[in-house]
Amino acid sequence: RQAVKHDIPAIATPDSMLSEAAEYSLHLLLRAIASKTTLSRQNPENSVSPEWYLHPPKHYRDIFSQWPDCLSSTIAIAQKCCFRGPDFGIVLPPHENTAGVSAHKSLIRAAYEGAHQRYRDSLSEAVVSRLEHELQIISQMGFSSYFLVVRDIVHNHVSTGDRPRLICGRGSGAASLVAYCLNITNVCPIRHNLYFERFLNPGRKDPPDIDIDFAWDERDEILTAVLEKNRGYAAMVSSHILFQPRMAIRETARAYGMPSAEISAVTQRIGWLWQKREGLLEQMEQLPSLRGHELKGAWPEILSMAQRLIGVPRCLSVHPGGVIITPEPISSYVPVEMAVKGVPIIQWDKDSAEEAGLVKIDLLGNRSLGVIRDALLNLEHNGHRLNIKTWQPEEDAATQKTIAVGGTMGCFYIESPAMRLLQQKANCGDFEQLVLQSSIIRPAANEFIREYVRRLHGGRWQPLHPLIGSILDETFGLMVYQEDVSKVAVAVGGFSHSAADRLRKVLSKKDRELRLRDYRKKFFDGASKHGLQEEEIEPIWQMMMSFDGYSFCKPHSASYAKVSFQAAFLKTHFPAEFMAAVISNQGGYYSTFSYVSETRRLGLRILNPDVQLSDIRWKGWDKTVRPGLMAIKGLSRKTIERILVGRKTLPYLDIDDFLSKVQPDEDEARALIHAGALDTLQQETNSSILLWQAAAYYHRKTSAVAVPLFGNCRRQPPPALQPSGRIECLRREYEVLGFLCSHHPLTLCGSRLQRHRRTRAANIRIRIGHRIWFAGWLLTGKLVRTKSNEPMEFLTFEDETGLVETTFFPRVYQQYTHLMRTGLPFWLYGRVEEDFGAVTLTVERLEKL
C-alpha cells in the first residue's frame, strides 16, 4: 500500500550469482579451493543455490505472467543505469613546502642547481633549452609536485651508515633531463638522445610514472618508511593474480581429493603450457615428459575443470613496488585493505589505478645494485675506493672487451645465454650498442636480431621507406625501442603523438588483437595518404608488431646498460670482490653452482668455509674467494650468529671448544665438518677424526653420567682413524654446499668420463663444423616454440674449462626432454656450429653420464 501510495513500482530482482547454469560446477570448485577442502567435504552452506543463475528472458516472462509490470519496470530502471568511473581526475602526491614557494618554482630552482652539479657549472645552450622545454610541459601538466616527491624519496634514502645506497631511475622517466638533474636518474638524456615525449606530452591522457630501483634487500625498508611517513595517505598497488595452467591443475586436483604425490607426479613434469581456453588435456597428453604417466581416472575431468579456471581471479597480491600517495586520505579515492604482509594496498591493479587518474611511484628492488654495493664495500675493506659520482665504466677499454666477448656472467641484465651470444656475435663493447642490444633481445624480434648483427658488421641495407630513414638511422633501419613505434606511426601513419603512444601501449596488452584492428586501418589509411603502396606498408606494420608483449624504451635500456657496465667493470678489474658479492646476493640468472664455476674460470682460488674466518656473506680479495657461512645447507641463522659471537674475543681452540661455545645441532656440526669449516681446528685435516670427536661430544652431552662441578670430565683421545677417501670427501662437500670449492663436480664421474673421446669447452671453437662428444653439467635452459608451435629448448652446459650453449631442435627435444634435469652431468653428441663468431652445439644425442 505504501509503494502504491508513493508511486514506487515493483521490480523483479531474482538472485543471479551465476551467468548461466553451467557455472554452478565452477562455483563449487572455487568454493572448495577457497575453503581449502575437497568437493565432497565442503559445507553446502558455503555455496549458493544452483538456481541462482541468470535465466533466459522467457523464464521471467512465464513466472511473472500475472504481473508483467514488474518486468517492464525492471527494464526501465536498467536502461537508466550506467557505469560511471571515478571522476576525480589526475591525483598527484602533494609536496610539503614550508617556505611558501610554489611547487613549480621549487622544481625550477632544484633543477638548475642539479644541472650545475651535473655539468660542472657549464650549462650549454642545449642543456638550458631542453630544461626549459621540459619544465614548461611539466608545469602545463601539473606534475611539479610529483618530481619533487620522488626526489625527496631518493634523497632521503641515498645512504645508511657505512653502506652507500645505489639507485637506478629507469623507465621512460629516464628520458627527462629534469629527473637527471634531480639525481633521480643516472643517464644523460642529451648525450644519449633520449625522447622526452615518450614520458610526458600534453596530449597524453594517462599519467606516467617514474621507476626507481634500490638494492633488492633495501626496498622493503624504504617502502615501509614512505608508507609510515604518509600513513593514511599512501598505499601500495595490488596485483590481481589469475589462475595459470599449472596453478589451476594443482588446485583443482586437490579439490578432487588427489594425493599430493600424484599431483606432483603430473605437475612437476609440465615444462610449459600455453595459456589457452581450450586444449589443456590435449596439450598435456602431447608432452614427452608425461609419457608413461597415463592421465586416466579422474584426470580428464580434473583437466577439463582446470581449463575453465584459467584466467579466473585467484587472489589479490602486492605489486612489486607501486606506491600511491594522495593529498586527501587515500580511502576517499579507492578501496583499501591490508595485505597479508602487513602493508595497505588498494583493491585496483596498476592499469585500473592509471585509468582512474591515480599516479603511482614505483620503488623496486634490483639485485644487481646490491651486488655493486657489496663489491664496492669489499673493495673499500681491501684498501681500494671508487668515487661512484665520477665513475665512468662505459669508457673503460678493458670493460668494453669483457662485454664484446660475452664474459658477462654475473653482470646484471646482460648475463643470460641469449645476451652473451648476441654480445659475441656483435663483438662490440660500445655503450650505445649495448643499449640497443638490451632492447632488441625480446622474444618477438628474433628475425631482426640476426639482421641487426649483419648490418652492424657492414651488411648493406636500406630503410623500408625514406619517411623513416632518419628516424631509425641509429638502429640500422630497425625498430628497436618502444618509442620507435610511436615515431614511425607519426611519420608514416599520420598519427598524433598521443595516438601513437596509445598504439604503443596496445601492443603490450592482452586484448591487443581486438584493439589493433582499428589502429591497423588508421595506419594503412594514413600511410596511403603519404603515397605508400600496401606492399610497402605491410613490412613496416609487421616490424611494429614485433613489439608484441614486453619491450623496452631507450631510456629504460640506457639506464640498465649503465648498471650493466658498472657490474662488468667490477668483474673485469676486481673479480674476487665482485664474484663474492654476486654469490652473497644470491646471483641472478644462474645458480650458486654456476657462479662458483665462473669464479674458478676467472683464475680465482676458492677456499673452504672456516668457522674462524668466514663471515655470513662471501668475501673476496686479491685472487682468493672464501664462501660465507650462508653457503652451508642446514645451518641456521642463529647458529651462524653464535659462531661469529663465539670467536670475537679468542679463536676456537679445538672442536670441543667450538661445540661447547656455539652449541650447534648435531646435524649442523656434521654439515660444518663435511664443508671443511672445522678443518683449522685440528693439526692434520681428517674429517673422520672430527666426526668421531663430534659424536663423542654429543654422546657425553646426552649421557646420564654426572658431569664434575669443576672442570670437564676427562675426554678420551680419538682413535687413529684413516681419513676418508678423496672422492668420498668431495661427495660430502657437494651435498652440504651444492658445489665443490677446489674441483669441478665432473671430477666425481671418474672413469665414466672415458666412455667417449670428449672435446672440452675450451677447445670447442677449433671443432667448428665437426661432430663431437661433450661431457657437460646442465646449468639452465629456455623453452621456446617454433613457428609451427613445436617445443624446442636452448640449454647451457659447462665442464671444467668453460660454458657451451646448445640447441635441442623439436625432434631431439621430444626424444630426450624426459632425461634433462639441471644439476646433473650428461654426454652430448652433436655438430659444432658458428654464427658471426658465436659457437654453439646442435645436439643430436644425449646420454646420462
Side-chain angles (χ1 to χ4, degrees), residues 448-505:
F448 301 115
I449 293 172
R450 181 169 177 77
E451 183 61 15
Y452 154 70
V453 175
R454 188 189 70 80
R455 295 180 183 187
L456 174 66
H457 289 302
R460 298 187 63 180
W461 61 275
Q462 288 184 335
L464 290 176
H465 192 273
L467 283 174
I468 61 175
S470 59
I471 294 175
L472 303 178
D473 189 55
E474 69 171 318
T475 57
F476 304 95
L478 301 170
M479 292 185 212
V480 172
Y481 308 115
Q482 284 181 351
E483 53 268 46
D484 290 341
V485 174
S486 302
K487 291 177 181 178
V488 170
V490 171
V492 177
F495 282 45
S496 66
H497 283 290
S498 56
D501 191 58
R502 286 196 293 274
L503 167 61
R504 187 267 311 167
K505 296 190 75 172

Side-chain angles (χ1 to χ4, degrees), residues 689-714:
I689 292 178
L690 287 173
L691 288 168
W692 187 94
Q693 289 176 310
Y697 171 84
Y698 288 106
H699 175 72
R700 291 194 303 271
K701 187 176 178 181
T702 57
S703 174
V705 177
V707 178
L709 183 60
F710 299 102
N712 294 325
C713 59
R714 187 168 182 173

Side-chain angles (χ1 to χ4, degrees), residues 158-171:
V158 292
S159 63
T160 172
D162 61 346
R163 301 175 73 191
R165 273 201 173 131
L166 306 175
I167 64 123
C168 173
R170 57 181 177 86

Side-chain angles (χ1 to χ4, degrees), residues 34 61 147 274 276 463 566 579 662 672 752 784 788 823 827 830:
R61 284 196 294 268
F147 277 82
W274 292 106
K276 296 193 293 187
Q566 292 173 343
M579 293 308 297
V662 177
L672 286 163
R752 285 175 288 163
V784 297
S788 57
W827 276 112

Side-chain angles (χ1 to χ4, degrees), residues 774-796:
F774 172 73
W777 204 271
L778 178 53
L779 300 182
T780 186
K782 182 179 182 182
L783 188 65
V784 297
R785 293 266 175 175
T786 64
K787 290 182 178 180
S788 57
N789 199 28
E790 291 183 288
M792 61 175 290
E793 194 159 17
F794 299 103
L795 295 169
T796 303

Side-chain angles (χ1 to χ4, degrees), residues 73-299:
S73 298
T74 304
I75 293 171
I77 291 177
Q79 288 175 340
K80 292 179 181 179
C81 294
C82 63
F83 173 74
R84 189 173 65 248
D87 56 1
F88 42 66
I90 291 182
V91 179
L92 292 158
H95 181 254
E96 299 177 9
N97 197 322
T98 55
V101 181
S102 70
H104 191 62
K105 286 184 178 179
S106 296
L107 180 63
I108 294 173
R109 183 168 62 241
Y112 272 96
E113 287 175 358
H116 284 291
Q117 293 176 1
R118 285 289 195 185
Y119 298 101
R120 300 180 183 177
D121 294 326
S122 178
L123 299 189
S124 66
E125 183 179 344
V127 171
V128 174
S129 175
R130 175 75 174 253
L131 266 181
E132 289 298 322
H133 170 68
E134 288 191 18
L135 287 166
Q136 181 182 357
I137 292 178
I138 291 169
S139 174
Q140 182 180 342
M141 297 186 69
F143 269 80
S144 300
S145 65
Y146 181 76
F147 277 82
L148 292 171
V149 169
V150 175
R151 179 206 61 173
D152 290 348
I153 291 173
V154 171
H155 286 201
N156 290 341
H157 301 284
V158 292
S159 63
T160 172
D162 61 346
R163 301 175 73 191
R165 273 201 173 131
L166 306 175
I167 64 123
C168 173
R170 57 181 177 86
S172 61
S176 168
L177 181 62
V178 171
Y180 180 64
C181 292
L182 295 178
N183 290 306
I184 294 171
T185 60
N186 295 317
V187 178
C188 175
I190 296 176
R191 179 181 177 184
H192 299 292
N193 190 28
L194 304 182
Y195 181 52
F196 177 69
E197 278 68 24
R198 163 70 176 81
F199 174 58
L200 273 182
N201 67 75
R204 182 169 180 170
K205 302 300 181 184
D206 56 304
D209 52 36
I210 295 177
D211 301 333
I212 308 293
D213 279 355
F214 295 88
W216 67 281
D217 52 356
E218 297 172 357
R219 187 202 61 160
D220 286 350
E221 177 187 343
I222 292 164
L223 283 171
T224 300
V226 171
L227 293 172
E228 185 61 33
K229 179 183 177 183
N230 300 278
R231 181 186 288 269
Y233 294 80
M236 296 191 68
V237 178
S238 70
S239 292
H240 294 184
I241 305 302
L242 310 180
F243 279 99
Q244 303 299 321
R246 190 191 299 268
M247 182 196 303
I249 294 169
R250 188 170 55 244
E251 296 279 21
T252 304
R254 284 176 181 164
Y256 272 75
M258 276 285 180
S260 298
E262 174 72 4
I263 297 172
S264 298
V266 171
T267 57
Q268 288 178 3
R269 289 180 168 89
I270 302 173
W272 188 55
L273 292 174
W274 292 106
Q275 182 172 329
K276 296 193 293 187
R277 286 287 182 179
E278 69 279 343
L280 186 58
L281 176 59
E282 290 78 6
Q283 286 185 71
M284 292 184 63
E285 287 178 335
Q286 293 173 10
L287 288 174
S289 56
L290 282 173
R291 286 176 186 160
H293 191 99
E294 296 187 24
L295 298 172
K296 292 185 176 180
W299 276 109

